[in-house]
Amino acid sequence: MPVLNERAYLEHAIASVLTQELTVPAELVLALGPSTDGTTELAQRLAAEDDRIRLVENPAAHIPVGLNAAIRASRFATIVRVDAHSELAPGYAALALETLERTGAANVGGVMRADGRTPFQTSVARLYNSPVGLGGGAYHGGTHEGEAESAYLGVMRRTVLEEVGLFDESIRRGEDWELNLRIRQAGHLVWFDPNLSVTYWPRESWSRLARQFRATGAWRGELVRRYGRRNGIRFFAPPALVILLAVAVVTGILQLAGVLSGVLSLIISAVVHLPLVAYLLLVVLVACLPGGGGPRQRLWTLLVLPTMHLSWGLGFLGGVLRGARDTVDASRLGTRNTPLP
């Protein structure tokens, strides 16, 4: 479990791990980044109270670096990746081990069930769980078990991880997708089991959500630079929306200035503006659909859905054009979006 500034979530996340019922020995290795909110002190106290918890340092604060440090420090044949912003469902680990054995897979993952405690967070969670929000990846609500492109978190065979070389520490986001690509290229199976469930708690504010999605989009753009069409087509929808919006703004300015007029102006408006109108209607429809919650949650949906798409799309375009470079997810670090110490 990589950990950074998670004091509000860490104790619940750890409890969901330690209460897993297993017939084999288990441990929880925390990779501690340079937290500033008391997370490290909380982790040290919890480790002192339960000898199944072990601590390793992750001064770089980057997730793949912390994951690799924790894997190298671990002692058992199966690696269960967990997240400090998530909670495992009861029976998760035992079922994952059974699925590994039954399928012969190298990595098994399940469904990420986002949840929220406030109207904003609940709105974000609903969109996480919707194909309209995050593009319909299997682990965002799939119901059919089978071979998968990637796995949320993942329950992995240590021998396979060592064979393919652990996580790529040069990648800051999307490291799980890249690892699973190498696992599949090595001839191993990645498997999705919808009976496996993890509760995920999204970011708690609009600004943090926007920073998270911009960083994630930038790294997906970087992965497109590196791996091209191995990336799914759904990843290109948000940047297409950003480009369409930019073209619409330029077109509107030219129309107001009289540069574009007549039949040509009408044709361009139909091509450029009508898709944006359709998108706005889609946003309104999603906010109004049953299950959208109370008025505050529905209002947040009107802002959150475009924020997710546009932030991700802007980040993606930057990542494709110039690479992600040192972009990090600074959504738990105040206003920073710079390399960490």
Side-chain angles (χ1 to χ4, degrees), residues 64-65 67-75 79 158 165-167 169:
V65 176
L67 286 169
N68 285 347
I71 291 168
R72 293 187 182 104
S74 64
R75 297 172 289 188
I79 303 297
R158 185 190 196 95
L166 303 186
F167 289 91
E169 296 184 1

Side-chain angles (χ1 to χ4, degrees), residues 248-273:
V249 170
V250 172
T251 300
I253 293 173
L254 293 177
Q255 288 172 329
L256 290 173
V259 177
L260 283 177
S261 60
V263 176
L264 178 61
S265 177
L266 290 175
I267 293 174
I268 293 177
S269 290
V271 172
V272 174
H273 293 119

Side-chain angles (χ1 to χ4, degrees), residues 15-92:
S16 78
V17 173
L18 297 182
T19 54
Q20 297 289 310
E21 295 183 359
L22 293 167
T23 59
V24 295
E27 64 186 356
L28 173 59
V29 186
L30 305 182
L32 300 178
S35 296
T36 57
D37 67 346
T39 293
T40 299
E41 292 76 14
L42 174 60
Q44 291 169 340
R45 176 174 65 79
L46 295 173
E49 296 171 355
D50 194 317
D51 60 9
R52 291 174 294 174
I53 302 175
R54 301 173 59 215
L55 308 178
V56 297
E57 296 297 324
N58 177 22
H62 298 309
I63 290 175
V65 176
L67 286 169
N68 285 347
I71 291 168
R72 293 187 182 104
S74 64
R75 297 172 289 188
F76 299 114
T78 304
I79 303 297
V80 182
R81 177 178 173 177
V82 291
D83 189 273
H85 225 61
S86 302
E87 296 174 24
L88 303 183
Y92 174 91

Side-chain angles (χ1 to χ4, degrees), residues 94-285:
L95 178 58
L97 292 176
E98 292 175 9
T99 304
L100 272 180
E101 182 65 24
R102 171 171 56 86
T103 62
N107 189 11
V108 169
V111 177
M112 181 186 77
R113 299 196 186 282
D115 202 352
R117 298 186 175 111
T118 65
F120 174 83
Q121 196 178 44
T122 303
S123 173
V124 177
R126 176 171 173 259
L127 296 173
Y128 261 84
N129 296 330
S130 165
V132 177
L134 290 183
Y139 58 81
H140 291 302
T143 57
H144 300 291
E145 182 176 11
E147 187 174 352
E149 175 186 5
S150 188
Y152 176 58
L153 298 181
V155 179
M156 299 162 274
R157 298 182 188 272
R158 185 190 196 95
T159 53
V160 174
L161 283 178
E162 292 174 344
E163 174 191 338
V164 301
L166 303 186
F167 289 91
D168 185 337
E169 296 184 1
S170 71
I171 297 173
R172 301 293 177 247
R173 302 287 294 181
E175 73 287 337
D176 48 353
W177 179 89
E178 190 275 339
L179 173 66
N180 283 293
L181 174 63
R182 282 186 282 123
I183 289 174
R184 291 186 288 111
Q185 288 176 333
H188 300 290
L189 184 65
V190 177
W191 194 261
F192 170 73
D193 185 346
N195 294 311
L196 294 170
S197 176
V198 180
T199 298
Y200 171 79
W201 301 99
R203 299 299 186 266
E204 305 90 341
S205 72
W206 177 83
S207 62
R208 291 179 184 274
L209 180 75
R211 291 200 296 272
Q212 177 195 18
F213 270 72
R214 182 180 176 278
T216 303
W219 278 103
R220 178 55 60 178
E222 174 68 31
L223 292 174
V224 167
R225 285 170 65 96
R226 298 189 190 189
Y227 301 105
R229 289 189 295 175
R230 294 187 183 93
N231 293 266
I233 190 67
R234 69 182 185 274
F235 296 124
F236 295 87
L241 175 64
V242 172
I243 293 172
L244 187 63
L245 182 61
V247 171
V249 170
V250 172
T251 300
I253 293 173
L254 293 177
Q255 288 172 329
L256 290 173
V259 177
L260 283 177
S261 60
V263 176
L264 178 61
S265 177
L266 290 175
I267 293 174
I268 293 177
S269 290
V271 172
V272 174
H273 293 119
L274 288 181
L276 289 176
V277 171
Y279 175 77
L280 290 175
L281 291 175
L282 174 65
V283 172
V284 173
L285 176 64

